[in-house]
Amino acid sequence: MFIIMFYQTKDQIRDFFLLKILGAKHSFVSRSLNLQYTVQGVMAGFSGALIAIVLSWILTYFLFDNVWVLDLTYPIALVVVCTLFIFILSQRVAYEVFHRKKPDQSF
């Protein structure tokens, strides 16, 4: 996941440099990157939780005695953990991309 985020950010580096040229502060660019990845993390967590709930209902309905109780503890925990993981990872990616010692010559 780190590598995917790193290369996605690397592809957007021109956009970030354009924002910097137009006068955006480094903190604004970093916050926008973190917000983008945090929203993606929340959406991934919600979609994963929804898929898990639907699959558990299908398995219970077709394979077991149809005794299914919705417990939102694990899905909510999944969303929180996924969001925190993505947020921490986005901090790391932003640091790696913006604090590089050697400029990338692939432009």
Side-chain angles (χ1 to χ4, degrees), residues 2 8 14 16 25 31-32 37-38 40 46 50-51 63 70-73 81 87 92 98 107:
F2 175 76
Q8 186 178 10
R14 285 185 180 173
F16 296 136
K25 294 183 179 181
R31 276 187 284 147
S32 66
Y37 287 132
T38 303
Q40 286 178 353
F46 277 127
L50 182 64
I51 290 170
L63 294 179
L70 179 62
D71 182 18
L72 293 177
T73 305
V81 167
F87 180 75
R92 174 82 173 138
F98 292 124
F107 293 124

Side-chain angles (χ1 to χ4, degrees), residues 16-44:
F16 296 136
F17 285 143
L18 181 62
L19 286 172
K20 295 278 287 177
I21 289 170
L22 293 174
K25 294 183 179 181
H26 177 69
S27 62
F28 173 76
V29 175
S30 181
R31 276 187 284 147
S32 66
L33 178 69
N34 291 335
L35 179 65
Q36 174 187 355
Y37 287 132
T38 303
V39 168
Q40 286 178 353
V42 168
M43 296 305 291

Side-chain angles (χ1 to χ4, degrees), residues 5 11 13-14 21 24 34 38 41 64-65 73 75 77-80 82-83 90 95-97 99 102-104 106:
M5 290 175 70
D11 288 341
I13 198 83
R14 285 185 180 173
I21 289 170
N34 291 335
T38 303
F64 302 114
D65 295 333
T73 305
L78 172 74
V79 171
V80 170
C82 185
T83 303
S90 71
Y95 181 80
E96 287 290 326
V97 169
H99 295 98
K102 179 182 163 194
D104 189 12
S106 65

